[in-house]
Amino acid sequence: MNLAQLVKTKRKAVGLTQEEFAERTGVALTVVRKIEQGKTNLNMEKVNLVLKMFGHQLIAAPIIKK
C-alpha cells in the first residue's frame, strides 16, 4: 500500500471527509488532496502531520544491501 492509498483508506475508515481530516490534522485541504492523489512534490513535515493521526511517520532509514 502506498502513501496515497494509506491516507485515503484510513481517512475513510474513520468516517472523515477530506475537509474534516484537513482541519483535524492542521494542514490545508490542498495538502490532503495532493497526498491522496499521489503527488510527489510534498512537504515532508505536512505529510508527517497527516500520518501522525494514524500513528505513522516517515523516517529516513538506511538501505540494506544484500
Side-chain angles (χ1 to χ4, degrees), residues 15-55:
L16 296 175
T17 65
Q18 287 181 331
E19 293 84 2
E20 293 167 330
F21 185 71
E23 188 175 313
R24 286 208 187 172
T25 57
V27 300
L29 175 58
T30 56
V31 172
V32 174
R33 287 184 174 155
K34 284 180 181 180
I35 291 170
E36 290 190 4
Q37 292 171 358
K39 302 290 184 187
T40 57
N41 188 16
L42 300 170
N43 177 310
M44 301 314 280
E45 193 173 317
K46 302 284 186 191
V47 172
N48 272 327
L49 283 174
V50 168
L51 291 176
K52 184 177 179 182
M53 186 164 177
F54 304 124

